């Protein structure tokens, strides 16, 4: 393909992509393919001779489109959103064109320098304390995902503690033995509501993991008292807590841990690396009405949120801010110490490879730049406020039918969780499906009363039926022993009419209005979804 | 920006990108900006109101273009290549449009299933042993970089050994203590020519690292005897080697470790995870004349090469093949065991999050599909052979001037390394620059004779002057105590005329032909490059 063919092909692709966005709301958000659908549609191996673009492009509709889950659809209300936007796509087009494995400054100075400036823009946009700006000892870096960031922070925390404890020992086998002994006693902490990535990161770092209680009584948040208790319990067993994930907007219910209380506690545990996971909710900090959450963050070591979730920058783009970049570089730089110099340490030349696990890096700051400029501060605030209003609106609808719905957690950052009230005994759903899913039984039986069990079963059945229909995509979680449906409507195309749509669908399914044989069959299919 | 504005903006961007490629050879490959050039060109923070695309696009030329290193330029002969291609860019355009955090099958079945099929296509294309195909116990996954892959393999190797040693112990504090003791004695191994990512991965895994000798006498390759000796030395000290990176195409000189000998040795050390790093040279396996290297790979645990280096798939796209996918899933799956099922284990539904460190994933198989189909097997073979021929051609040119050049390693996968012969004493360069760079002095003095030291100094000066000119971009390395210039010309636009160009430039600089005051000044600037 030469550049002239590329002009034609790429302009055709632009039209296809624009058409896709123009028709998003007409598409069922979930695909109806069965596992293994794709392989029979393709040959077994690479063709011997090259094929024309026309033939390749036609296969997008034939092979790919039927197997897509449409995350940009306004009917996508599952997980957290993963928003794209047209300016971000333009940024990625240029990034692909300027293709480079930009692992250090000279590999492409613009890649490094735009990233530093953009991370400063983002830090100011969300009112992060000045400690996280690049003109002091801190700064920001774009990594792939919040889970990659957590591993980066956990390993850096582990090694920081080892360095501090062995500061006086020169490199030697004996020092390595001591370091291994220290690592063997370390324990990483996270809320029992924290994303599972902290537990996975602790495993990758080869250390223990303990969860800190975050019960319904504290609105699923970790309090300073609970954290202190867990730390002290670990110490009594001879274990050393070295890392804690504090959460702004937990995955299950968008809970916020006690930022102020834990910031005060942090002074007592200076060797505990506290990392703020605000993967989704961090974007709300663009709005002044949420920025009261920011000052305590100065007491913590690192902060992360995903611009690819709620701030319109295509996946992947996770902003990781560090208070002392030296804490990363001392772990991840494999440049020998005699090459370290004041220019590098002061940020004259930043080699971001020394702030991360992988070596190479893409030019991701371009799409950040394009999005921030296209929307401006006010455009981004308007977007966040619209979604938060949609959460309130959903909440109001649910409260209007207390016969059907019980709200479990109030709307937070656009997310509301609720249960379906069980039907009267005569029409109660059978437990057949649940018996086939012992996980939920095992998980819930010990925790809940008989009434709650019934509500859990009913909620689960409605949830599975909703997704089996494929019109809206929702997710569920378990919060305080209750099986709940989560609804979060925060895509670029989200509107009140889709909230009305999902609410009406929930009412219909919960009350079994219009249920016919076809729909019963659909429900039977849900296990393949 | 609405979809109509996007159509216009994106088509304009397509033309800009095509123009960029059409003018690549006219641009100096290295930028001439100084560190910190970019910040003064931008405002301090996000604009309050959104800006128009015209204004944003204009800033690409003003702000970004001056700070780019042009990796797609045919004058880029540094590191290893990082090739883009038009079909790959088209793939990324669709991937950005179908934007999703595709962490499991239902998040977008097409993302998972196309990846599985494409990794099978790639495995067959490079004649990997059948153990690495998805229809058995193995399979492939796309990760970001070879360095990310190495961390993934190292941590999985560590935990596999722990699981094997503690197979009989139930989960308990005592088991965690034992596991910590085991981890504390582990040591990862890599050739002294191996990419530094293995050493970094060993640090991330919290284990020791030892390098295995790979001297000039064995053409910088690790032999089975050298590996055995290192393993036994570790064991004598009470350490347990658990991982070894075997290299096909080392970063410095494209050396190949003794695949057959080490494959035989592997049987004696079944707990040693052997990972094949073929990051660059793996692409050459598309050619039958290199596929004799493949059969021994069946004896190893995992294999990796970067399609984003030499196989025209835009960064990032690193293909990681595993012989027993269970070895990854047992470590990286955080799904509790009672949810494991035969369908998942046999690949009915693949959740690639359980094969990797991060959770979310982009739709990277699209660009693989487009590239493989656009070029076909024969197109890709022709490309590789062209670049290998260019390496031979460069070698012939160097040999034609034995008065100036000494070839240090013969061309391998297109890469040739050489030294500049020192001038006669009267015109010998001063050592001023070297005195400012104690690293090379310290590194080289102990290893080399006085003659070699002179050759090293001369080579370094010529190298720095070449890059200071900015017309061609080369890199250097130290091999067997010798400071050498590396030339590898393997971009899509590479041609003989650019080899002639770099050769002529090297001759001019080495013989100081036409050196004037301006050029002397340029040389003085090289430290900021």
């Amino acid at each position: 393909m030469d550049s002239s063919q590329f002009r034609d092909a790429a302009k055709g692709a632009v039209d296809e992509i624009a058409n896709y966005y123009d028709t998003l709301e007409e598409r069922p958000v979930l695909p109806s393919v069965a596992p293994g659908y794709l392989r029979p549609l393709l040959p077994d191996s690479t063709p011997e001779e090259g094929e024309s673009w026309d033939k390749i492009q036609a296969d997008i509709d034939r092979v790919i489109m039927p197997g897509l889950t449409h995350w940009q659809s306004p009917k996508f209300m599952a997980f957290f959103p993963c928003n794209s936007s047209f300016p971000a796509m333009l940024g990625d087009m240029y990034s692909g064109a300027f293709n480079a494995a930009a692992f250090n400054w000279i590999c492409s100075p613009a890649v490094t320098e735009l990233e530093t400036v953009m991370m400063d823009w983002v830090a100011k946009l969300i009112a992060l304390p000045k400690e996280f700006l690049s003109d002091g000892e801190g700064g920001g870096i774009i990594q792939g995902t919040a889970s990659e960031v957590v591993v980066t922070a956990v390993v850096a925390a582990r090694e920081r503690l080892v360095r501090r404890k062995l500061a006086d020992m020169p490199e030697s086998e004996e020092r390595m033995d001591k370091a291994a002994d220290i690592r063997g006693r370390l324990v990483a902490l996270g809320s029992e509501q924290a994303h599972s990535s902290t537990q996975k990161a602790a495993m990758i770092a080869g250390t223990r993991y303990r969860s800190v209680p975050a019960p319904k009584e504290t609105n699923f948040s970790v309090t300073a008292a609970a954290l202190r208790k867990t730390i002290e319990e670990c110490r009594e067993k001879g274990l050393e807590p070295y890392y804690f994930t504090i959460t702004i907007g937990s995955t299950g219910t968008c809970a916020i841990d006690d930022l102020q209380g834990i910031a005060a506690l942090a002074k007592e545990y200076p060797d505990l690396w506290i990392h703020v996971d605000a993967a989704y909710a961090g974007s709300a900090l663009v709005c002044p009405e949420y920025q009261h959450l920011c000052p305590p963050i100065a007491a913590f070591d690192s902060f992360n949120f995903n611009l690819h979730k709620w701030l319109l920058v295509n996946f992947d783009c996770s902003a990781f801010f560090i208070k002392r970049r030296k804490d990363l570089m001392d772990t991840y730089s494999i440049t020998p110490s005699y090459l370290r110099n004041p220019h590098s340490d002061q940020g004259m030349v930043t080699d971001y490879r020394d702030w991360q696990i992988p070596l190479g890096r893409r030019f991701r700051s371009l799409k950040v730049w394009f999005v921030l400029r296209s929307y401006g501060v006010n455009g981004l605030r308007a977007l966040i406020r619209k979604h938060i209003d949609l959460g309130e609106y959903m909440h109001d609808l649910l409260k209007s039918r207390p016969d059907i719905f019980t709200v479990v957690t109030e709307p937070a950052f656009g997310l509301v969780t609720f249960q379906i009230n069980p039907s009267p005994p005569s029409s109660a759903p059978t437990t057949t499906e649940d018996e086939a899913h012992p996980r939920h039984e095992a998980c819930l039986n010990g925790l809940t009363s008989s009434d709650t069990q019934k509500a859990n079963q009913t909620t689960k059945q409605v949830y599975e039926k909703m997704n089996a229909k494929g019109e809206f995509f929702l997710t569920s979680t378990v919060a305080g022993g209750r099986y709940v449906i989560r609804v979060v409507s925060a895509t670029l195309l989200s509107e009140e009419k889709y909230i009305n749509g999902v609410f009406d669908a929930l009412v219909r399914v919960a009350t079994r209005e219009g249920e016919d044989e076809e729909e019963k069959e659909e429900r039977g299919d849900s296990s393949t979804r």
Side-chain angles (χ1 to χ4, degrees), chain A:
Chain A
M1 186 181 285
D2 64 22
S3 69
S4 160
Q5 291 167 317
F6 172 69
R7 285 176 209 261
D8 291 343
K11 289 174 189 178
V14 166
D15 280 325
E16 293 277 321
I17 288 167
N19 292 343
Y20 171 71
Y21 276 79
D22 288 342
T23 57
L24 261 175
E25 72 170 317
E26 299 156 20
R27 300 169 189 266
V29 60
L30 277 169
S32 59
V33 296
Y37 88 97
L38 187 139
R39 189 180 287 270
L41 303 177
L42 294 185
D44 271 350
S45 57
T46 310
E48 287 298 307
E49 300 299 334
E51 296 177 339
S52 72
W53 172 245
D54 288 350
K55 200 172 160 196
I56 297 169
Q57 196 187 29
D59 275 353
I60 297 170
D61 266 343
R62 185 180 69 94
V63 176
I64 302 302
M65 211 54 93
L68 288 181
T69 300
H70 302 293
W71 285 61
Q72 309 312 313
S73 163
K75 297 169 182 172
F76 184 96
M77 303 177 184
F79 305 114
F80 285 124
C82 183
N83 275 300
S84 71
S85 68
F86 293 127
M89 288 185 226
L90 290 164
D92 265 348
M93 282 172 66
Y94 280 100
S95 170
F98 301 150
N99 193 47
F103 44 84
N104 65 20
W105 185 84
I106 191 57
C107 282
S108 227
V111 176
T112 294
E113 297 204 6
L114 186 65
E115 185 160 333
T116 305
V117 176
M118 282 307 105
M119 289 298 94
D120 282 344
W121 280 26
V122 170
K124 291 174 191 171
L125 180 67
I126 61 170
L128 272 194
K130 65 178 181 344
E131 286 83 347
F132 295 93
L133 294 174
S134 71
D135 60 1
E137 295 177 19
I141 176 178
I142 301 175
Q143 297 197 356
T145 60
S147 47
E148 178 187 344
V149 165
V150 168
V151 177
T152 310
V154 163
V155 171
R158 185 195 71 197
E159 292 307 297
R160 186 177 76 174
L161 188 61
V162 168
R163 282 192 304 274
R164 286 181 181 176
K165 286 185 180 279
L166 303 179
D168 300 332
M169 281 188 84
E171 282 299 332
S172 62
E173 285 293 319
E174 191 194 345
R175 186 181 194 278
M176 287 186 205
D177 290 342
K178 292 256 189 220
D181 289 345
I182 293 167
R183 292 188 195 107
R185 309 310 300 163
L186 296 183
V187 55
L189 307 176
S191 163
E192 61 184 9
Q193 295 292 325
H195 191 273
S196 57
S197 55
T198 297
Q199 186 174 358
K200 186 164 173 174
M203 182 285 300
I204 290 167
T207 64
R208 286 163 224 248
Y209 175 78
R210 290 285 184 287
S211 65
V212 185
K216 180 157 175 53
E217 294 67 46
T218 60
N219 198 25
F220 305 113
S221 303
V222 170
T223 61
L227 178 57
R228 181 198 296 279
K229 185 159 178 284
T230 305
I231 292 172
E232 294 306 323
E233 282 169 357
C234 289
R235 290 189 166 184
E236 279 162 26
K237 288 180 182 158
L239 301 177
E240 177 87 36
Y242 71 106
Y243 171 92
F244 172 62
T245 296
I246 187 168
T247 303
I248 299 180
S250 63
T251 307
T253 66
C254 269
I256 306 175
D257 291 338
D258 174 13
L259 300 173
Q260 287 202 312
I262 295 171
L265 190 71
K267 295 190 188 80
E268 295 177 44
Y269 300 102
D271 287 336
L272 184 74
W273 182 305
I274 301 183
H275 171 70
V276 185
D277 177 1
Y280 167 65
S283 294
L285 302 177
V286 302
C287 297
E289 60 269 31
Y290 286 100
Q291 293 178 352
H292 65 275
L293 296 171
C294 299
I297 297 169
F300 307 133
D301 295 280
S302 53
F303 175 92
N304 169 242
F305 82 110
N306 291 338
L307 282 87
H308 63 241
K309 279 195 165 71
W310 203 3
L311 223 54
L312 304 181
V313 180
N314 283 17
F315 189 82
D316 50 359
C317 187
S318 191
F320 179 31
F321 294 95
I322 180 92
K323 196 158 70 180
R324 285 174 300 268
R325 54 182 177 264
K326 196 171 177 300
D327 285 342
L328 291 179
M329 293 164 69
D330 282 347
T331 294
Y332 293 108
S333 172
I334 46 169
T335 313
S337 57
Y338 48 80
L339 279 184
R340 292 287 293 276
N341 64 72
H343 290 117
S344 284
D345 285 346
Q346 291 165 20
M348 267 292 281
V349 174
T350 300
D351 286 342
Y352 277 123
R353 70 186 162 109
D354 295 337
W355 299 37
Q356 67 175 23
I357 291 169
L359 176 62
R361 331 189 60 245
R362 281 180 301 129
F363 196 175
R364 290 179 285 207
S365 56
L366 263 186
K367 58 187 179 182
V368 177
W369 193 33
F370 290 2
V371 167
L372 294 186
R373 291 181 68 179
S374 295
Y375 286 88
V377 177
N378 291 332
L380 295 170
R381 286 178 180 163
L383 177 91
I384 299 291
R385 287 169 180 153
K386 181 177 91 171
H387 293 147
I388 285 170
D389 287 347
L390 290 178
E392 301 283 349
Y393 182 67
M394 180 70 190
H395 177 247
D396 291 345
L397 290 177
L398 294 168
K399 298 289 265 189
S400 74
R401 291 297 300 268
D403 54 323
I404 305 176
F405 302 105
T406 299
V407 170
V408 173
T409 57
E410 301 285 308
F413 303 106
L415 171 70
V416 57
T417 74
F418 55 90
Q419 284 201 304
I420 313 296
N421 302 331
S423 313
S426 62
S427 63
T430 70
T431 58
T432 316
E433 286 191 20
D434 277 318
E435 282 159 8
H437 292 80
R439 172 179 69 130
H440 296 291
E441 291 298 294
C443 177
L444 300 175
N445 274 347
L447 298 167
T448 57
S449 69
S450 161
D451 282 355
T452 309
Q453 279 185 45
K454 277 185 202 155
N456 287 346
Q457 288 166 5
T458 308
T459 303
K460 184 163 175 292
Q461 284 169 335
V462 169
Y463 163 72
E464 288 176 353
K465 191 162 178 189
M466 284 291 293
N467 278 354
K469 291 166 99 69
E471 189 186 354
F472 296 91
F473 187 16
L474 312 176
T475 39
S476 64
T477 191
V478 175
R482 290 177 164 209
Y483 189 99
V484 299
I485 299 177
R486 295 164 79 260
V487 167
V488 53
S489 177
T491 72
L492 196 48
L493 299 176
S494 292
E495 282 182 45
E496 234 175 64
K497 66 177 174 182
Y498 304 110
I499 298 288
N500 289 329
V502 74
F503 179 74
D504 290 347
L506 281 162
V507 169
R508 272 199 308 277
V509 172
T511 58
R512 308 186 144 207
E513 268 173 35
E515 181 166 280
D516 58 19
E517 287 310 307
E518 188 192 18
E519 283 179 316
K520 279 177 189 157
E521 268 178 42
E522 272 181 18
R523 186 177 53 187
D525 282 344
S526 65
S527 61
T528 61
R529 271 275 158 61

